Amino acid sequence: MADSQLFEETFSITSLNAQKYDRVSRISGTSSSNETFLTLDVNTELYPCAVGDRIHLVLASTLSLDGTKDDGKGWRDVGRGEASLADMYDYVCHGKIYRFEEGDGEMIKVFISFGGLLLYLEGSYKRLTPLRIDYVYLLLKKS
């Protein structure tokens, strides 16, 4: 895991709820180690998912391959004409970490909004502590 990659894990999708919106589904999943749980809103028109799929998720502070900050660039300008972390993934979003909650024992809960599409992670304090920053990139690909 590079310095810009704050969290990296593979999840198995355990449920999918597409009842509320036409193009968005809320997926739930469990990490391959069964230590981290995920709930994520995904635009399924752009990134179709199904129960049983395995997805590789990365949360990164920048899209630069060398880990340099995105200073002065908007997120849409990152990677134009140059290789970036986004080139290796199928679904990329930029969002804000807006809440942390203490869980049971060593567990912590992290809430991130990607323009209204939400990500909820619950896992060990040690694994999720690097997420104590304001903005992150979500990168997904099927594994």
Side-chain angles (χ1 to χ4, degrees), residues 98-140:
Y98 66 93
R99 188 166 84 200
F100 278 89
E101 286 183 6
E102 297 296 322
D104 300 329
E106 292 291 314
M107 300 295 271
I108 192 169
K109 300 173 185 176
V110 180
F111 299 83
I112 307 171
S113 176
F114 301 96
L117 298 178
L118 303 178
L119 168 63
Y120 162 78
L121 284 171
E122 183 175 358
S124 76
Y125 180 80
K126 289 180 182 178
R127 289 275 289 137
L128 299 178
T129 294
L131 297 175
R132 290 197 178 270
I133 63 170
D134 285 335
Y135 295 96
V136 294
Y137 292 94
L138 165 79
L139 301 110
L140 288 178

Side-chain angles (χ1 to χ4, degrees), residues 8-36:
E8 183 173 13
E9 188 66 72
T10 300
F11 290 88
S12 293
I13 298 175
T14 56
S15 70
L16 188 133
N17 182 345
Q19 295 174 351
K20 197 161 190 165
Y21 301 103
D22 290 335
R23 298 180 195 133
V24 175
S25 293
R26 179 160 285 176
I27 62 172
S28 297
T30 306
S31 68
S32 52
S33 63
N34 287 326
E35 294 179 359
T36 308

Side-chain angles (χ1 to χ4, degrees), residues 26-58:
R26 179 160 285 176
I27 62 172
S28 297
T30 306
S31 68
S32 52
S33 63
N34 287 326
E35 294 179 359
T36 308
F37 304 96
L38 151 103
T39 301
L40 173 65
D41 295 338
V42 174
N43 182 331
T44 50
E45 188 175 68
L46 298 175
Y47 190 72
C49 297
V51 172
D53 284 354
R54 292 176 50 82
I55 56 172
H56 184 77
L57 177 140
V58 171

